[in-house]
Amino acid sequence: MSDRYQQFTSTGFGRSLAQRLGLPTPTPLRRYQPGDPVVNGPVLTGAADGSRLGDAIAATLRAVDAEVRTESAEDARYAALVFDATGITSSDQLNQLRAFFGPVIRQVGTCGRVIVLGTPPEETTDARERVAQRALEGFVRTVGKELKRGATAQLVYASEGAEQSLDSTLSFLLSAKSAFVSAQVVRVGRAEAPQVDREKPLKDKVALVTGASRGIGESIAETLARDGAHVVCLDIPAQGDDLTKVANRIGGSALQLDITAEDAPQRIVEHFAERHDGLDVVVHNAGITRDKTLGRMDDGRWDSVLAVNLTAQERINEALLADGSPLRDGGRLIGVASISGIAGNVGQANYAASKAGVIGLVQALAPVAARRGATINAVAPGFIETKMTAAVPLFIREAGRRMSSLSQGGRPVDVAETIAWYANPASSGVNGNVVRVCGQSLLGA
């Protein structure tokens, strides 16, 4: 659905009027198109004294042909600012953040990127270092709110020894693929990260996307296919015609199945074992809403939402993580949560509970997946422009669009690109993460 307010404020008169009235002026976001460079301008790098990620950062910037600068210039516009803060071990050293960013933060270009890298506070042994590293989160979230013109800020916590598994995460966050992701905290652990084709990282992989007949699910299927995967598109039989059209268009295949059926997990296991000789990526996108305030909610509304959005995922994951399942080494389990599961939402007690449960599922199964040689992560979308949000009353829809640092709604492809980053075989160190795709929504944490 088109955002007419954004179109109006993109005109000279509209922009001037909005500024005079103190209204937001959302910048059209740069989104990835095949063949685009990862970064489209100079990248300024810096580091706190004693930091450890310089070589890993430099390797990624070389690999994406970035123009790297280590000295600032007054007249420069930067596509990205990247700062290694792993050397900060006490609060009195946090002034190195201001010293690096303060003089250049207003030189971040349109749709630019700010990335700070640190050490996971929980993995430090010194109390003062833990405090200092935790402080990075407040700094980055504030920078995300102060940036203008569609720019974003992110914090990446990299474990000791995770240097070799940073590349896919840095590349994603630097690129236009992360257009609607801002002020997020990503944890990257120690893992073996294979070399992949940057244009086709999922070549020879098999992916399953549930709820793939339309909306966000359709975009996820298209994006994984673009990255080289054979995508099995799954949805209920009632969506069979639309499902087949999506599968045919992307060169995938269709599987009509109700995931809440008692035998659904076993049928999925058998399908991929027999027809595809394995499975690499599972995206639990299928979801429904049945909204009512709690006092008016009947058993049917509650039970159906929990069954589709959460219980079916639990049962399918259990089957895929069991011994002898078709899930291959390096498998990826990916859930779709929601900011409703973080902040709650009036009339959505069932939906919010189910989506918070998806976050709990990621946290509970991350160690289990790691032992199985797999990963599990989730996205938590905010206001995304779909047919469902187009039906929302005008003023509520406008509030959803403007109540974020980017002052606009996201697109289904924004969710899909984040899922494709999780699915990338080089993202083996990314496990147990829940990343919001919400433009730094003002709702929730």
Side-chain angles (χ1 to χ4, degrees):
M1 180 179 179
S2 63
D3 184 341
R4 293 184 179 179
Y5 175 83
Q6 185 178 33
Q7 293 171 354
F8 174 69
T9 58
S10 295
T11 67
F13 172 74
R15 186 181 307 108
S16 176
L17 179 62
Q19 289 173 347
R20 286 202 303 270
L21 296 176
L23 299 174
T25 53
T27 298
L29 301 181
R30 182 172 67 94
R31 290 181 168 88
Y32 174 77
Q33 297 295 327
D36 285 354
V38 172
V39 286
N40 61 350
V43 178
L44 181 66
T45 63
D49 297 337
S51 292
R52 59 182 170 82
L53 298 175
D55 289 346
I57 295 167
T60 292
L61 293 175
R62 282 196 303 271
V64 301
D65 297 321
E67 178 188 345
V68 181
R69 299 183 184 177
T70 56
E71 298 289 338
S72 61
E74 289 185 6
D75 60 346
R77 276 284 177 193
Y78 297 108
L81 307 177
V82 181
F83 187 78
D84 181 359
T86 54
I88 294 177
T89 58
S90 62
S91 59
D92 59 357
Q93 296 173 355
L94 288 166
N95 62 0
Q96 295 182 72
L97 294 169
R98 187 209 58 78
F100 175 75
F101 286 107
V104 295
I105 195 67
R106 287 181 289 182
Q107 295 172 240
V108 175
T110 300
C111 298
R113 301 288 184 259
V114 169
I115 300 175
V116 176
L117 298 102
T119 300
E122 64 275 12
E123 295 181 10
T124 61
T125 56
D126 180 79
R128 295 187 71 193
E129 182 178 3
R130 183 168 188 165
V131 169
Q133 288 295 315
R134 180 61 180 79
L136 299 178
E137 187 170 336
F139 174 81
V140 169
R141 292 194 192 280
T142 297
V143 170
K145 292 182 176 181
E146 293 182 355
L147 288 168
K148 307 298 181 184
R149 301 185 303 277
T152 63
Q154 320 290 352
L155 173 59
V156 179
Y157 281 133
S159 299
E160 292 273 358
E163 291 79 4
Q164 301 307 311
S165 53
L166 265 177
D167 179 72
S168 71
T169 296
L170 282 179
S171 297
F172 169 69
L173 295 177
L174 284 167
S175 77
K177 294 178 179 180
S178 61
F180 202 59
V181 177
S182 189
Q184 296 304 290
V185 179
V186 177
R187 283 171 164 78
V188 181
R190 193 175 195 167
E192 292 291 329
Q195 295 292 318
V196 298
D197 181 334
R198 288 182 180 272
E199 295 299 318
K200 297 287 184 182
L202 297 179
K203 182 181 179 182
D204 300 325
K205 303 297 183 183
V206 177
L208 167 66
V209 178
T210 69
S213 65
R214 58 187 175 182
I216 291 174
E218 179 180 4
S219 186
I220 294 167
E222 291 171 345
T223 302
L224 297 184
R226 177 204 69 190
D227 284 358
H230 175 88
V231 181
V232 178
C233 304
L234 182 151
D235 217 318
I236 58 175
Q239 294 297 126
D241 289 344
D242 289 341
L243 186 71
T244 299
K245 290 176 183 176
V246 172
N248 289 342
R249 189 175 70 251
I250 66 172
S253 53
L255 175 60
Q256 297 183 31
L257 179 65
D258 180 351
I259 59 172
T260 66
E262 186 64 31
D263 64 346
Q266 186 58 34
R267 288 178 62 184
I268 288 171
V269 166
E270 291 173 355
H271 179 89
F272 286 94
E274 295 171 3
R275 300 206 183 181
H276 300 281
D277 196 30
L279 176 60
D280 300 286
V281 179
V282 180
V283 183
H284 294 289
N285 168 73
I288 61 171
T289 57
R290 298 290 184 269
D291 296 354
K292 281 287 183 183
T293 54
L294 188 57
R296 292 184 170 87
M297 186 173 295
D298 55 56
D299 288 346
R301 290 176 185 271
W302 181 275
D303 292 344
S304 61
V305 168
L306 270 293
V308 174
N309 296 4
L310 181 59
T311 305
Q313 282 193 47
E314 289 182 286
R315 296 176 61 238
I316 293 168
N317 284 344
E318 286 173 3
L320 291 174
L321 290 171
D323 292 340
S325 89
L327 188 69
R328 295 172 178 148
D329 288 343
R332 302 284 186 263
L333 303 177
I334 303 166
V336 177
S338 168
I339 62 168
S340 290
I342 297 170
N345 199 18
V346 173
Q348 290 194 321
N350 51 358
Y351 184 77
S354 71
K355 294 304 185 178
V358 171
I359 295 171
L361 191 60
V362 168
Q363 295 168 340
L365 291 185
V368 179
R371 290 194 294 271
R372 180 73 163 70
T375 67
I376 182 169
N377 299 281
V379 294
F383 188 93
I384 305 296
E385 302 279 0
T386 63
K387 289 182 179 179
M388 183 177 71
T389 55
V392 171
L394 173 63
F395 290 109
I396 297 175
R397 184 168 69 242
E398 282 302 301
R401 284 171 169 160
R402 309 307 161 209
M403 290 179 63
S404 74
S405 294
L406 296 177
S407 300
Q408 60 193 284
R411 298 179 185 174
V413 71
D414 298 323
V415 180
E417 295 285 17
T418 307
I419 286 171
W421 157 58
Y422 282 146
N424 189 326
S427 296
S428 50
V430 181
N431 187 30
N433 284 261
V434 178
V435 168
R436 294 173 53 157
V437 185
C438 64
Q440 195 179 15
S441 172
L442 304 184
L443 301 175

